[in-house]
Amino acid sequence: MQHLLRLVIIVLILGLTYTVTKWPGGLHMTFSQHVAVARRSAIYYAFLFLAALPLLVWFMSEWLVPQKQLPDAFLWFTYVAVLFQIVCTWFPEVGGWRTTVHRALTGISGIAMLPLVFMLATASSLSFAVRFSGWIALGFMTFLLAIALSNQKGYKWALLLQIGYYTAFFVVLLLATYL
């Protein structure tokens, strides 16, 4: 069951790599902005998350939380992060109210990930190395979030910010799973 996390990560890496190569647009564009160019790409993007994120919830609820004795709140924040991430894909960033809704939903999803990392950083059932990496990741993610929030009109490295944010999150999950 713990290897399900690796499958989720591989699916996301392959799917998101395909996204930026099939629908190129530059580092100033988020993944969502890459797929907002056409209905077909937006549908692909929604299905990518519909395929990967329920598996992530399954892994967390059936293995990570019980195995690592994490609090029930961990699952609640997981549900919020995943649900809002999936729903935000239904509102492509094509301008107007759809962009506003997309950014609000994705913002809630991203912010809900911070308590998850905090709970990993403070879980006494995890090793010192995992907890320490959790604190580093939490600081890094908070820093990246501050940059993103202060540059709502656009940031020339938006894709790298997004990749860094999610990479920090998944690195801590991997460490919590395998250390």
Side-chain angles (χ1 to χ4, degrees), residues 22-143:
K22 175 74 175 168
W23 301 286
L27 295 177
H28 67 286
M29 297 171 65
T30 64
F31 290 113
S32 300
Q33 291 166 338
H34 277 82
V35 298
V37 296
R39 182 161 169 75
R40 189 176 96 225
S41 55
I43 290 169
Y44 161 81
Y45 193 62
F47 275 111
L48 172 63
F49 286 102
L50 278 172
L53 295 184
L55 294 175
L56 181 63
V57 170
W58 186 26
F59 159 75
M60 289 184 175
S61 63
E62 296 299 316
W63 193 86
L64 186 68
V65 168
Q67 189 73 25
K68 301 301 179 173
Q69 303 159 0
L70 299 171
D72 290 339
F74 193 90
L75 287 178
W76 288 107
F77 282 103
T78 297
Y79 299 148
V80 169
V82 166
L83 177 64
F84 280 80
Q85 182 61 46
I86 289 172
V87 174
C88 84
T89 65
W90 302 341
F91 298 91
E93 283 196 73
V94 292
W97 68 270
R98 285 190 175 99
T99 295
T100 303
V101 170
H102 177 87
R103 289 183 181 179
L105 294 171
T106 197
I108 292 167
S109 174
I111 290 169
M113 294 167 65
L114 295 174
L116 295 172
V117 177
F118 175 79
M119 285 182 248
L120 293 172
T122 59
S124 60
S125 59
L126 298 175
S127 71
F128 173 79
V130 174
R131 292 192 320 265
F132 183 74
S133 68
W135 284 113
I136 299 296
L138 186 60
F140 183 64
M141 290 169 69
T142 302
F143 174 71

